[in-house]
C-alpha cells in the first residue's frame, strides 16, 4: 500500500489479486481510506466496487494482479482500477439483461466522468472522477487539463462580468 500527501494531493494505491476476493478487499480498503480522508465520498465506494468487480470478472489473467488508485486533489476524487486485459474494453449495456450488466450504468450515474486508458503493456485502466462536496460540477467542467479550479472560476467570473 502506498499513501502520500504532497501539495494538498492525497493518494492511496494498493495491488491486489485480480479475483472476486481481491475486488471485495479493494472496496473495503477504499471505504476505510476514504473515511480517513473525511471528504464525503459515499458514492466513491460503489464506484470502486463496480470497477474492481469488473476487473476481476473481465480483466483477470492468471498470475496478474489488479491495482487500485485513489487520488484526491482537493476538487476531484479520481479512482483508477488497472487490470491485465487491455484488449477487453468495458461495454455499457443500454438494456442490461439478467443479473449483470448494470455496473457501468451505475458508475456513469455516480461519477462526473469516466473512461478507459490503454497500457502500460497489455493492461488497461478504467477510471472515474467524482467532484468533491463543496465543488460544483460546473467548476470542474470549466477547468481544462492542467487548469486549477480557481483559475477556471476566475475565467468564468470574467466571462460573466463581460456580458
Amino acid at each position: 500500500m502506498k499513501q502520500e500527501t504532497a501539495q494538498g494531493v492525497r493518494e492511496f494505491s494498493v495491488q491486489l489479486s485480480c479475483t472476486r476476493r481481491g475486488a471485495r478487499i479493494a472496496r473495503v480498503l477504499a471505504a476505510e481510506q476514504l473515511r480517513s480522508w473525511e471528504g464525503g465520498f459515499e458514492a466513491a465506494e460503489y464506484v470502486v466496487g463496480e470497477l474492481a468487480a469488473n476487473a476481476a470478472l473481465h480483466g483477470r489473467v492468471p498470475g496478474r494482479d489488479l491495482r487500485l488508485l485513489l487520488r484526491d486533489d482537493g476538487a476531484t476524487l479520481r479512482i483508477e482500477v488497472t487490470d491485465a486485459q487491455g484488449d477487453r474494453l468495458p461495454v455499457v449495456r443500454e438494456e442490461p439483461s439478467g443479473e449483470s450488466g448494470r455496473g457501468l450504468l451505475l458508475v456513469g450515474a455516480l461519477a462526473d466522468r469516466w473512461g478507459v486508458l490503454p497500457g502500460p503493456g497489455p493492461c488497461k485502466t478504467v477510471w472515474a472522477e467524482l467532484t468533491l462536496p463543496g465543488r460544483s460540477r460546473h467548476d470542474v467542467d470549466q477547468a481544462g487539463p492542467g487548469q486549477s479550479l480557481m483559475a477556471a472560476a476566475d475565467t468564468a467570473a470574467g466571462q460573466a462580468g463581460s456580458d
Side-chain angles (χ1 to χ4, degrees), residues 18-43:
C18 194
T19 60
R20 290 185 350 205
R21 181 174 186 266
R24 283 192 305 272
I25 292 170
R27 184 174 178 169
V28 169
L29 291 175
E32 251 339 278
Q33 184 62 52
L34 294 170
R35 273 189 219 102
S36 77
W37 286 349
E38 299 174 355
F41 301 108
E42 293 82 17

Side-chain angles (χ1 to χ4, degrees), residues 81-93:
V81 176
T82 303
D83 67 47
Q85 285 279 5
D87 59 337
R88 294 193 67 190
L89 299 179
V91 176
V92 178
R93 297 182 190 163

Side-chain angles (χ1 to χ4, degrees), residues 135-158:
R135 301 288 185 177
S136 75
R137 189 172 187 170
H138 175 76
D139 291 340
V140 173
D141 289 342
Q142 291 296 312
Q147 184 181 14
S148 73
L149 285 176
M150 294 304 288
D154 291 343
T155 301

Side-chain angles (χ1 to χ4, degrees), residues 44-65:
E45 183 179 344
Y46 295 105
V47 173
V48 169
E50 290 300 330
L51 296 183
N54 280 349
L57 183 61
H58 304 292
R60 186 168 191 272
V61 172
R64 301 289 306 267
D65 294 334

Side-chain angles (χ1 to χ4, degrees), residues 91-155:
V91 176
V92 178
R93 297 182 190 163
E94 293 300 322
E95 295 184 28
S97 60
E99 295 182 19
S100 65
R102 295 172 185 83
L104 291 175
L105 291 173
L106 178 63
V107 169
L110 295 173
D112 294 306
R113 62 194 141 271
W114 71 274
V116 182
L117 296 171
C123 300
K124 72 174 173 300
T125 299
V126 182
W127 59 269
E129 293 182 341
L130 291 81
T131 303
L132 300 179
R135 301 288 185 177
S136 75
R137 189 172 187 170
H138 175 76
D139 291 340
V140 173
D141 289 342
Q142 291 296 312
Q147 184 181 14
S148 73
L149 285 176
M150 294 304 288
D154 291 343
T155 301

